[in-house]
Amino acid sequence: MEDATILDFEFEAHTNPRSGDDRATILANPGFGKVFTDHMAVIRYSADKGWHDARVQPYAPLQIDPACAVLHYAQEIFEGLKAYRLPDGGAGLFRPGENARRFRESAERMAMTPLPEELFLASIRALVEADRDWIPEGEGASLYLRPFMFASETFLGVKPASEYLYLVIASPAGAYFKGGAPSVTLWVSDHYTRAAPGGTGAAKCGGNYAGSLVAQAEAIRQGCDQVVFLDAVENRYVEELGGMNVFFVFDDGSIATPPLGGTILPGITRESLITLARGAGVEVREERYSIDQWREDAKSGRLREAFACGTAAVVTPIGAVRGSGLEFQIGNGGPGMLTEKLREQLVGIQRGVAPDPHGWLERLF
């Protein structure tokens, strides 16, 4: 069996890639997650061969058996990270090692064979190198990278699979929220919860997101941008949005965010913002915060700002919150000063235009 950490990627060039003119048109207004680059990275796993057959090949549909295990038992995980165009024309990745670590932890929680972290990183680098011309320029633009892995063994029976397929695809991306919204409005779900203690809340698996879709649809019907979930035990403590972590900024300049405990995804953007805020002398507390307290603090003025964060949305101000018999505005309903300061510092590091004291930006070329 080969040492998976030193696999070489075989490259197969696309025979009919997008023309330069087509690509330029797409990159001028890429949207989010709708158009994909010319290639994808692929690695296979089987119990007898280990990780093998590492390739960068033309982007194409997959062919799987109707009895493929993922279709029946949902052994699937994914990640999300971005490649950024740097001022000198090069490209960089923001903390990709943290994505590799979280991908491994998600695999372990889902009883999947973990992909070695170095192999995860090698696959990202190989794909970005192959499709380097797809990285857009301009404010808010990036190349969104989606590594994912699923059980590819053909069988029916409730057990961990012994074969897996790992892929990375890439999509040029603009702003996550349409129109680059200055702030978003949240809907508090009182019928659904995202995760419960002992569940898969801390794993980045598709089932968590599938379970949030009905609540997100409810939020849209209510004229809101995103759903916010409360805890599954008492149905009163704020946990996270459908796909983002949440922060609260108070009148004394301190920040609070819900604590990790197995029901909340350990966001890389979340952890980065905590580090940046503390480095600037801001008190950051990881503590439980109830929806009732959120409402009262917003009305009294104790709460000055709130924002959501994640790889796709970066840092997004929260302007208002609604729910059944519930409606309140946060601050002036738009971006707050500390929210904007943290966003500017984070984005500056990601794009190579601000000091990077923690060495978070990995330059690719």
Side-chain angles (χ1 to χ4, degrees):
M1 186 182 302
E2 293 183 78
D3 182 348
T5 62
I6 57 173
L7 288 180
D8 292 324
F9 283 79
E10 182 178 338
F11 178 69
E12 178 187 351
H14 201 298
T15 58
N16 188 29
R18 299 259 192 175
S19 70
D21 288 344
D22 284 349
R23 187 171 59 246
T25 299
I26 292 168
L27 295 185
N29 185 23
F32 189 90
K34 297 187 183 222
V35 180
F36 299 91
T37 65
D38 294 318
H39 298 89
M40 60 186 186
V42 182
I43 313 174
R44 298 179 182 277
Y45 175 86
S46 64
D48 57 335
K49 291 184 179 180
W51 291 103
H52 64 284
D53 195 19
R55 306 171 58 83
V56 173
Q57 64 188 55
Y59 184 97
L62 301 177
Q63 183 174 348
I64 59 175
D65 192 284
C68 184
V70 68
L71 301 177
H72 303 272
Y73 309 112
Q75 268 191 297
E76 181 273 347
I77 58 173
F78 68 96
E79 269 298 325
L81 65 160
K82 293 177 177 178
Y84 300 91
R85 183 67 70 186
L86 302 181
D88 63 1
L93 297 171
F94 182 73
R95 306 190 73 182
E98 290 301 299
N99 293 96
R101 176 191 55 77
R102 190 170 65 182
F103 195 74
R104 173 181 52 78
E105 292 175 350
S106 293
E108 291 169 349
R109 176 61 184 86
M110 301 301 290
M112 304 171 76
T113 301
L115 180 75
E117 293 180 24
E118 279 305 314
L119 194 49
F120 177 100
L121 295 170
S123 70
I124 299 296
R125 295 166 185 147
L127 181 59
V128 175
E129 175 62 36
D131 285 342
R132 60 196 296 170
D133 293 339
W134 280 91
I135 305 174
E137 300 179 5
E139 184 178 357
S142 61
L143 182 65
Y144 185 80
L145 300 159
R146 171 53 60 87
F148 63 103
M149 182 168 76
F150 64 87
S152 56
E153 186 179 4
T154 299
F155 74 96
L156 296 180
V158 183
K159 69 178 183 66
S162 59
E163 295 177 6
Y164 296 95
L165 188 63
Y166 166 82
L167 300 97
V168 189
I169 57 177
S171 175
Y176 182 74
F177 288 106
K178 292 181 181 178
S183 66
V184 294
T185 299
L186 305 185
W187 176 260
V188 181
S189 177
D190 58 2
H191 297 299
Y192 306 101
T193 55
R194 177 186 173 274
T200 60
K204 200 165 177 66
C205 61
N208 291 343
Y209 295 81
S212 73
L213 295 179
V214 64
Q216 177 63 25
E218 180 183 35
I220 299 298
R221 288 196 302 272
Q222 296 294 334
C224 298
D225 302 289
Q226 268 280 328
V227 63
V228 59
F229 291 103
L230 305 180
D231 73 289
V233 177
E234 298 183 54
N235 198 39
R236 59 182 295 222
Y237 292 104
V238 178
E239 294 222 312
E240 67 173 276
L241 278 60
M244 289 167 273
N245 297 120
V246 61
F247 283 79
F248 310 98
V249 183
F250 298 95
D251 57 1
D252 62 358
S254 66
I255 296 176
T257 189
L260 303 179
T263 60
I264 295 175
L265 185 73
I268 295 164
T269 305
R270 173 190 182 276
E271 195 275 330
S272 300
L273 290 169
I274 290 173
T275 300
L276 291 176
R278 286 175 173 163
V282 175
E283 177 190 349
V284 183
R285 300 181 301 277
E286 296 181 68
E287 62 184 16
R288 298 204 297 177
Y289 192 59
S290 73
I291 184 61
D292 290 338
Q293 192 65 56
W294 192 358
R295 177 182 56 194
E296 293 307 311
D297 287 345
K299 289 184 175 180
S300 71
R302 177 174 180 256
L303 181 74
R304 296 294 177 84
E305 309 169 33
F307 60 88
C309 68
T311 298
V314 194
V315 176
T316 300
I318 299 168
V321 179
R322 299 177 189 163
S324 299
L326 180 74
E327 184 166 0
F328 58 89
Q329 179 176 295
I330 298 164
N332 62 8
M337 291 180 60
L338 186 54
T339 299
E340 288 295 279
K341 181 178 178 181
L342 287 172
R343 184 186 187 282
E344 182 179 352
Q345 187 177 4
L346 177 68
V347 171
I349 293 172
Q350 291 173 335
R351 299 192 172 276
V353 297
D356 180 17
H358 303 286
W360 285 341
L361 186 67
E362 177 187 318
R363 186 182 183 92
L364 296 176
F365 50 81

